[in-house]
């Protein structure tokens, strides 16, 4: 009969591990200890790939420094390349929310890489005399420099993806701004009629807002290119070769394609999570702007008969199980909810950053989880908003023009020519009688019909 389990030992004793598993005893204990979120590391493949990249860089640096023989180094690096290509991700099983400052994640990576490397060497899983998860895969390392470095590598990929998606969404709003460039409408302040503008001007602000935040994202990404790899436990570099930190950073940069740098003070870098707080803050800023934009879209499309009814959002699904024909703004609504989640994640990250003590922040697992989740969901939300909503928006042009011509707000354009007090009186008269402002102004002989027409022309009203 095939063996169903193998026995492995750690400092706490012996534990059985499934014979088919590439992970080992430390991972098995973490599975028992942290049944928290039900979300395994494998849910974040970019993070798994980043862990493999760090382990590969370490193996190559240790080999070049004479700390790891060629045979073991090649087996480890070959395994890491397999993981980067998508293999063995199902073996990264520990919960993303865990105690121990990420130790269980590092152990999971060490064990999976070791056991696959053993296979490549012709040995069996668990034959750690030949190649050991800690003695060889984890050589010159600590969770405390591996874990935050892997987070930063994964963040580089995710931030770049979100930046591209936000740029595409901004461009979509820019396209609509051009399409609606001459569509006159009433602007509003505090939900009350203000002064005329164009729908194109309104949509152009959304394009600019998102483009600005895409730039802020790139700035935040540069903050997470500084790593503490080589600092080992608390940043003193204990058990690492004097040339290891610089060499492993060079190797990791080559493997990932990112220009990484070693922190000038590794003790500070090991305990400081300020860069993660900064990234989260930018994500919160982006989320809040997105939510504001979606609030606007829901307001402008409200109705269709008893609301603003200025624009039409694409109908993507039936809106009610009881009200036939009702269509809801479900795409802006889902983006709103992602924004709420990102803001909540930022609060969690802030609390986790504040809770760090002395030479290490033990709460990086929840920081990583929140950052990865916020980035992934914002990316999906921006893509969905662009593809399923913005590109299909149309304007109710006639209704918008009528709202301007019937609005009291146009009196503001005449204020410099008839005076504030007179303008206020005419506005009140228009409200009471229902007569259009231009008609009252001409009837009272304050301005000629031609002059009123000139001053209230769309290009004058909207500053075109």
């Amino acid at each position: 009969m095939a063996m169903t389990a193998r026995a492995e030992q750690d400092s706490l004793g012996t534990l059985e591990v499934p014979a088919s598993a590439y992970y080992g005893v430390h991972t098995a204990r973490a599975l028992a200890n942290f049944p928290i979120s039900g979300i395994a590391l494998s849910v974040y493949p970019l993070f798994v790939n980043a862990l493999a990249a760090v382990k590969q860089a370490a193996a190559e640096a240790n080999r070049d420094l004479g700390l790891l023989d060629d045979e073991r180094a090649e087996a480890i690096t070959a395994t890491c390349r397999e993981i980067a290509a998508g293999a063995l991700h199902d073996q990264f099983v520990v919960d993303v929310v865990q105690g121990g400052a990420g130790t269980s994640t590092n152990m999971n990576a060490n064990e999976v890489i070791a056991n696959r490397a053993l296979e490549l060497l012709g040995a069996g899983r668990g034959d750690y005399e030949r190649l050991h998860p800690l003695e060889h895969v984890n050589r010159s390392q600590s969770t405390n420099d591996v874990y935050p470095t892997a987070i930063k590598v994964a963040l580089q990929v995710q931030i770049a993806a979100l930046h591209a998606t936000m740029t595409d969404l901004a461009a979509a709003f820019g396209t609509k701004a051009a399409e609606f460039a001459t569509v006159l409408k009433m602007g509003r302040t505090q939900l009350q009629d203000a002064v005329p503008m164009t729908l194109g001007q309104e949509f152009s602000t959304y394009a600019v807002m998102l483009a600005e935040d895409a730039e802020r994202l790139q700035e935040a990404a540069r903050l997470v290119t500084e790593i503490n790899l080589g600092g080992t436990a608390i940043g003193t570099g204990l058990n690492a070769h004097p040339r290891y930190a610089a060499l492993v950073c060079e190797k990791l940069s080559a493997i990932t394609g990112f220009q990484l740098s070693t922190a000038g003070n590794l003790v500070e870098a090991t305990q400081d999570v300020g860069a993660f707080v900064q990234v989260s803050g930018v994500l919160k800023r982006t989320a809040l702007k997105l939510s504001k934009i979606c609030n606007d879209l829901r307001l402008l499309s409200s109705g269709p008969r008893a609301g603003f009814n200025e624009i039409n959002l694409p109908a993507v699904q039936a809106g009610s199980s009881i009200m036939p024909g009702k269509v809801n703004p479900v795409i802006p609504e889902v983006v709103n909810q992602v924004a709420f989640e990102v803001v909540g994640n930022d609060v969690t990250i802030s609390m986790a950053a504040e809770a760090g003590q002395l030479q290490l922040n033990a709460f990086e697992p929840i920081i990583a989880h929140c950052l990865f989740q916020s980035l992934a969901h914002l990316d999906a939300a921006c893509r969905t908003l662009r593809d399923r909503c913005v590109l299909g928006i149309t304007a109710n042009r006639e209704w918008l023009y009528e709202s301007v011509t019937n609005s009291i707000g146009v009196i503001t354009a005449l204020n410099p020519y008839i005076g504030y007090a007179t303008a206020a009186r005419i506005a009140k008269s228009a409200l009471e009688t229902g007569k259009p402002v231009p008609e009252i102004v001409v009837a009272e002989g304050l301005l000629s019909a031609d002059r009123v027409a000139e001053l209230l022309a769309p290009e004058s009203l909207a500053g075109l």
Side-chain angles (χ1 to χ4, degrees):
M1 289 181 61
M3 183 176 64
T4 59
R6 67 177 187 270
E8 290 199 12
Q9 287 185 327
D10 64 3
S11 59
L12 299 183
T14 302
L15 194 68
E16 286 196 337
V17 178
S20 60
Y22 283 89
Y23 61 79
V25 60
H26 295 97
T27 302
R29 292 201 191 280
L31 284 172
N33 288 336
F34 308 121
I36 305 301
S37 70
I39 302 173
L41 289 176
S42 57
V43 167
Y44 298 124
L46 295 176
F47 187 39
V48 172
N49 290 346
L51 287 163
V54 171
K55 296 298 176 180
Q56 180 182 341
E60 292 179 1
N62 283 321
R63 177 200 59 206
D64 291 358
L65 293 170
L67 302 175
L68 192 64
D69 62 87
D70 288 345
E71 184 181 45
R72 288 191 177 100
E74 180 52 39
I76 292 170
T77 57
T79 299
C80 291
R81 292 190 191 102
E82 289 182 356
I83 292 170
L88 299 173
H89 280 221
D90 63 332
Q91 297 297 302
F92 288 77
V93 294
V94 299
D95 200 293
V96 294
V97 182
Q98 56 191 253
T103 297
S104 296
T105 294
N106 189 36
M107 293 294 199
N108 195 166
N110 288 332
E111 290 173 340
V112 171
I113 292 168
N115 280 306
R116 174 55 182 155
L118 283 168
E119 287 186 337
L120 296 178
L121 293 173
R125 297 174 205 173
D127 185 7
Y128 297 144
E129 292 294 326
R130 184 78 178 273
L131 188 149
H132 196 279
L134 301 180
E135 297 290 345
H136 302 116
V137 180
N138 198 61
R139 179 158 292 179
S140 306
Q141 303 154 64
S142 164
T143 294
N144 303 343
D145 61 351
V146 166
Y147 192 78
T149 298
I151 294 172
K152 290 179 177 181
V153 170
L155 286 178
Q156 292 296 325
V157 182
Q158 280 197 286
I159 290 172
L162 177 57
H163 178 271
T165 305
M166 285 180 62
T167 301
D168 288 345
L169 178 57
F173 276 115
T175 298
K176 286 296 169 181
E179 180 183 336
F180 301 147
T182 59
V183 180
L184 202 64
K185 62 159 286 178
M186 283 304 298
R188 295 180 179 85
T189 57
Q190 295 158 279
L191 290 179
Q192 306 301 303
D193 294 353
V195 296
M197 66 184 302
T198 69
L199 191 60
Q201 289 170 325
E202 191 162 40
F203 271 66
S204 71
T205 64
Y206 304 147
V208 172
M209 287 163 64
L210 291 168
E212 286 178 346
D213 276 18
E215 291 180 13
R216 301 294 83 75
L217 267 179
Q218 287 187 314
E219 293 169 0
R222 288 193 285 272
L223 288 178
V224 288
T225 57
E226 184 183 86
I227 61 174
N228 70 325
L229 199 57
T232 66
I234 63 170
T236 61
L238 183 68
N239 294 343
H241 190 283
R243 292 195 290 119
Y244 172 80
L247 183 57
V248 76
C249 182
E250 177 185 322
K251 297 288 187 182
L252 187 58
S253 295
I255 291 166
T256 63
F258 299 120
Q259 291 301 310
L260 307 172
S261 63
T262 301
N265 187 318
L266 291 174
V267 176
E268 178 275 333
T270 301
Q271 62 188 272
D272 181 20
V273 295
F276 297 146
V277 174
Q278 181 74 10
V279 172
S280 180
V282 173
L283 296 180
K284 181 180 75 170
R285 167 181 163 148
T286 299
L288 293 173
K289 288 191 180 184
L290 272 173
S291 193
K292 188 272 181 193
I293 291 169
C294 286
N295 290 342
D296 286 359
L297 295 179
R298 291 190 296 113
L299 271 176
L300 295 175
S301 64
S302 62
R305 298 288 176 85
F308 282 28
N309 193 31
E310 294 189 358
I311 61 173
N312 306 299
L313 306 184
V316 295
Q317 67 181 54
S320 173
S321 62
I322 190 174
M323 294 173 279
K326 191 171 188 289
V327 178
N328 294 328
V330 295
I331 302 302
E333 287 172 352
V334 76
V335 177
N336 283 133
Q337 291 174 80
V338 169
F340 307 156
E341 176 188 50
V342 172
V343 173
N345 284 343
D346 182 67
V347 173
T348 299
I349 290 167
S350 299
M351 295 300 296
E354 184 276 335
Q357 296 170 316
L358 303 178
Q359 279 68 60
L360 182 68
N361 188 301
F363 308 108
E364 287 184 1
I366 196 65
I367 291 175
H369 173 50
C370 288
L371 284 173
F372 296 153
Q373 188 179 69
S374 290
L375 280 159
H377 291 185
L378 276 175
D379 191 298
C382 287
R383 190 179 305 109
T384 300
L385 183 61
R386 176 187 182 274
D387 296 346
R388 304 289 292 169
C389 183
V390 174
L391 292 176
I393 291 175
T394 58
N396 294 325
R397 296 169 183 260
E398 294 78 11
W399 170 255
L400 286 167
Y401 183 74
E402 288 180 15
S403 70
V404 174
T405 57
N406 292 327
S407 172
I408 309 302
V410 296
I411 195 66
T412 304
L414 305 180
N415 184 39
Y417 306 96
I418 64 176
Y420 186 91
T422 301
R425 178 179 59 78
I426 290 174
K428 183 177 180 180
S429 175
L431 281 171
E432 292 173 348
T433 64
K435 292 180 180 180
V437 165
E439 180 181 321
I440 298 174
V441 170
V442 172
E444 293 194 8
L446 298 169
L447 293 169
S448 69
D450 288 344
R451 183 60 170 152
V452 170
E454 178 188 350
L455 295 173
L456 298 185
E459 57 270 20
S460 297
L461 289 174
L464 300 178

